[in-house]
Structure formats: C-alpha cells, structure tokens
C-alpha cells in the first residue's frame, strides 16, 4: 500500500524527491505517515481535505480484503 | 502537456528513430524538426558531424489518463484493463475486470475519488490550453446511475405534483444534480433548484405554483 500512496502523492506534488512515507504495522492496523515538502502540503491535502480524503478512499478500497485497517496521516 | 526532446545520431533518420523510441510514440504523433543534417565527412573519417533533430509531442490527455488510471489500479492490486472510449466530446475510461463492486464503492465514492485524482494528476503540469477531463466508468455504472436517478426524479416529481408539497433530495455531486435537473426540465408542473453549499448541495423539487408565488 505504501507504493500506491507513494505513486499518488509523487504525481501530485512539485517536489517528488521530498516525499517520505513511513510504515508502522501493528496487528490491527497499518499506519502510513506521510511527509512532503512544506510547499507541497496543500497539494496533498486539498481544499477541505478533498485530495487526502480521496487518497484515503482509494486506500480503503484497496485494503477491504485485508484484516488491517489503513490509516494515512500527514506529518508536519 | 508538451514534451520536447533533442537527439543526435549519425543520420537524421537514426536520430528521429532514437528520439521516438525514447518518447515512446509513433512518428505520426510527433512533430519533427531537423536541426542539423549532419555530415558523413570525408570517407567517414574526417569532419564527421552528427545529425541533430528536435522531436516534440503533444501528450494526449486521454492516453496519459489511461496510463495513470491503469497504474493506480495495478498498485491497488485490482486486476483490470482500462479502455478508452470517446462518447461525444467526452473521454470515458472504461475499467474492465473483477471486483467492480469494490471499485465503485458506496454510492460511487471510490470511483469518484479515483476519477478526481486522475484528473488532478493529468492536469497538474498543464499551464495553458484547456484542461482535459476524463470520466471513469466501471461496468456501465454511470449509465445505470443515470437511469436510477432519472427514475427517482420522475417518481418524486409525480409525488410532488400529487401532494403539492416539495421534496428535498440527499446531497449529490454536480454531475448527478445535472442528471436530475435534465430529467425534470420538461415537467411543467414542478421546478428544480439546488440549495446548500459544496458537498452538501442538494436538489429541491417543488411544485411550480409554489415556485412562482415567491
């Protein structure tokens, strides 16, 4: 799932090299911590969180079969 | 989106071929300019000069969209094939494969999110010219949804006419509201309008009398 988020986020930002994603796996959940360049934060979140929520929706659809819940967070 | 590439080669033909290969397009889709014919020199030994060409392509929005969509679906682990259809002036990407239910999501939520992201990505680097807009569809979901909404609109309009009281629908996307407005535009006895802001915008179907009294 990291690759999926990575592809989406890198396609949206101006500085793809600054994109860092940390995976934290536990029994019940997979947490993806996303870090992007300060100027790119808005491009990932979108107005009223529209972009990040769309990414979360895609992520949830991709993991419906999995036992782990996926959480995507933006670090700043 | 425009991509330009300058390429050298022993002959202009070779340079063009190399450039097309690097861009991954066929000759008929590219604009080719020969910057330097090059020279074989004397007996191919003295004074050879490489040929230089400039190849530019106007990236077709739909091709890029298809590529991006396919990539996302692959990464989601959903086995599908994306086909491009042109419906009137609209470009529709038809997603074929299993797990269509997952892809559509609750009330098309997943499909709409995917469509939103694909459009964002394909228009990101575009600074001039019209933005491309593509629609994503799975197993004619859009067509079926249009039928459902049209039927719903007709049913509710009949109820409004009978009862003389207006009804408010649940919030819908601009595209879905458009379908409802269209479905009822020839219904003389009712009028439709949208109320609310942003994603809470919804349609009110009201009796025409009530409308005109205001």
């Amino acid at each position: 799932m990291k690759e999926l988020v990575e592809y989406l986020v890198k396609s949206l930002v101006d500085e793809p090299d600054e994109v860092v994603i940390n995976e934290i796996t536990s029994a019940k959940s997979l947490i993806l911590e996303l870090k992007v360049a300060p100027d790119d934060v808005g491009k990932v979140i979108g107005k009223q969180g529209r972009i990040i929520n769309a990414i979360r929706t895609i992520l949830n659809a991709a993991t419906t079969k999995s036992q782990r819940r996926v959480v995507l967070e933006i670090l700043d | 989106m425009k991509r330009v590439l300058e390429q050298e080669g022993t002959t202009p033909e070779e340079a063009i071929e190399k450039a097309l290969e690097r861009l991954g397009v066929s000759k008929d889709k590219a604009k080719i300019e020969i910057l330097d014919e090059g020279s074989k020199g004397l007996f191919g030994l003295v004074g050879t000069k490489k040929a230089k060409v400039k190849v530019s392509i106007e990236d077709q929005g739909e091709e890029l969209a298809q590529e991006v969509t396919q990539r996302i679906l692959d990464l989601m682990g959903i086995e599908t094939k994306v086909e491009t259809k042109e419906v009137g002036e609209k470009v529709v990407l038809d997603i074929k494969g299993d797990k269509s239910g997952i892809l559509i999501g609750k009330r098309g939520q997943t499909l709409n999110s995917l469509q939103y992201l694909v459009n964002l990505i394909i228009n990101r680097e575009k600074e001039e010219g019209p933005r491309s807009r593509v629609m994503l569809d799975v197993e004619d979901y859009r067509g079926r949804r249009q039928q459902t909404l049209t039927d719903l609109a007709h049913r509710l309009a009949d109820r409004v006419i009978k009862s003389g009281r207006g009804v408010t629908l649940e919030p819908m996307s601009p595209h879905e509201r458009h379908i409802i407005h269209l479905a009822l535009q020839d219904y003389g006895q009712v009028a439709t309008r949208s109320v609310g802001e942003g994603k809470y915008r919804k349609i009110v179907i009201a009796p025409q009398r009530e409308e005109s009294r205001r």
Side-chain angles (χ1 to χ4, degrees):
Chain A
M1 284 310 114
K2 187 183 166 183
E3 291 75 24
L4 175 61
V5 176
E6 199 165 63
Y7 173 69
L8 288 170
V9 172
K10 285 191 172 178
S11 307
L12 292 166
V13 299
D14 287 335
E15 292 180 61
D17 292 342
E18 299 279 307
V19 175
V20 179
I21 300 168
N22 280 325
E23 271 182 306
I24 303 162
T25 316
S26 71
K28 281 189 179 160
S29 62
L30 167 66
I31 300 170
L32 297 172
E33 290 182 338
L34 173 66
K35 241 185 128 139
V36 299
D39 285 347
D40 280 335
V41 174
K43 293 195 181 70
V44 177
I45 297 176
K47 272 185 204 145
Q48 288 164 351
R50 201 170 161 199
I51 298 173
I52 193 73
N53 285 332
I55 296 175
R56 286 183 177 130
T57 303
I58 301 287
L59 208 49
N60 286 331
T63 53
T64 39
K65 283 248 175 74
S66 125
Q67 299 298 313
R68 285 200 190 93
R69 213 164 70 89
V70 183
V71 182
L72 175 61
E73 280 171 10
I74 301 171
L75 299 182
D76 55 5
Chain B
M1 219 175 292
K2 206 174 174 181
R3 288 201 282 164
V4 186
L5 190 71
E6 278 184 24
Q7 179 72 48
E8 289 187 338
T10 35
T11 62
E13 289 72 32
E14 196 205 68
I16 290 166
E17 208 167 296
K18 270 190 191 166
L20 291 174
E21 202 171 297
R22 277 176 64 187
L23 288 166
V25 291
S26 57
K27 201 170 179 176
D28 52 302
K29 281 184 187 150
K31 207 180 123 216
I32 296 162
E33 212 180 310
I34 296 170
L35 300 174
D36 200 324
E37 291 275 357
S39 155
K40 275 191 184 134
L42 204 57
F43 308 118
L45 291 170
V46 197
T48 53
K49 218 167 102 203
K50 285 205 166 174
K52 204 170 177 188
V53 296
K54 187 167 143 189
V55 176
S56 55
I57 50 165
E58 200 66 57
D59 236 351
Q60 294 292 309
E62 56 255 49
E63 273 172 41
L64 182 65
Q66 180 173 355
E67 207 180 289
V68 169
T69 309
Q70 185 71 63
R71 183 86 189 270
I72 296 172
L73 292 166
D74 289 348
L75 287 167
M76 285 173 80
I78 297 177
E79 246 179 73
T80 48
K81 203 171 157 353
V82 180
E83 280 171 21
T84 308
K85 286 192 298 192
E86 272 179 50
V87 183
E89 284 179 12
K90 270 196 208 138
V91 176
V92 178
L93 295 183
D94 198 15
I95 303 168
K96 297 201 157 123
D98 53 355
K99 300 194 200 168
S100 58
I102 290 176
L103 257 184
I104 294 167
K106 190 181 164 195
R107 289 210 188 94
Q109 203 189 24
T110 308
L111 191 61
N112 287 336
S113 291
L114 190 60
Q115 177 175 301
Y116 175 64
L117 290 173
V118 168
N119 278 297
L120 268 184
I121 292 172
I122 62 171
N123 287 306
R124 200 187 72 91
E125 282 170 27
K126 219 174 198 179
E127 268 151 27
E128 51 193 70
R131 294 177 153 250
S132 336
R133 278 211 59 85
V134 295
M135 183 182 260
L136 264 52
D137 199 1
V138 183
E139 282 178 4
D140 198 32
Y141 172 76
R142 302 289 180 200
R144 283 186 282 132
R145 185 75 181 147
Q146 180 172 11
Q147 192 58 53
T148 309
L149 288 172
T150 306
D151 292 348
L152 174 81
H154 290 158
R155 226 169 34 242
L156 289 176
D158 289 339
R159 198 201 290 170
V160 168
I161 293 165
K162 251 184 220 155
S163 70
R165 297 225 301 267
V167 292
T168 304
L169 280 69
E170 60 182 83
M172 283 173 197
S173 69
H175 176 69
E176 296 195 335
R177 291 197 310 274
H178 181 68
I179 292 170
I180 306 259
H181 284 306
L182 276 186
L184 298 180
Q185 67 177 0
D186 295 330
Y187 263 62
Q189 290 165 280
V190 296
T192 56
R193 63 198 157 90
S194 296
V195 296
E197 291 298 321
K199 61 176 176 179
Y200 302 107
R201 208 161 159 77
K202 53 198 177 183
I203 287 191
V204 176
I205 305 174
Q208 189 68 276
R209 282 174 289 117
E210 190 196 352
E211 258 327 87
S212 52
R213 250 194 323 220
R214 282 188 189 165

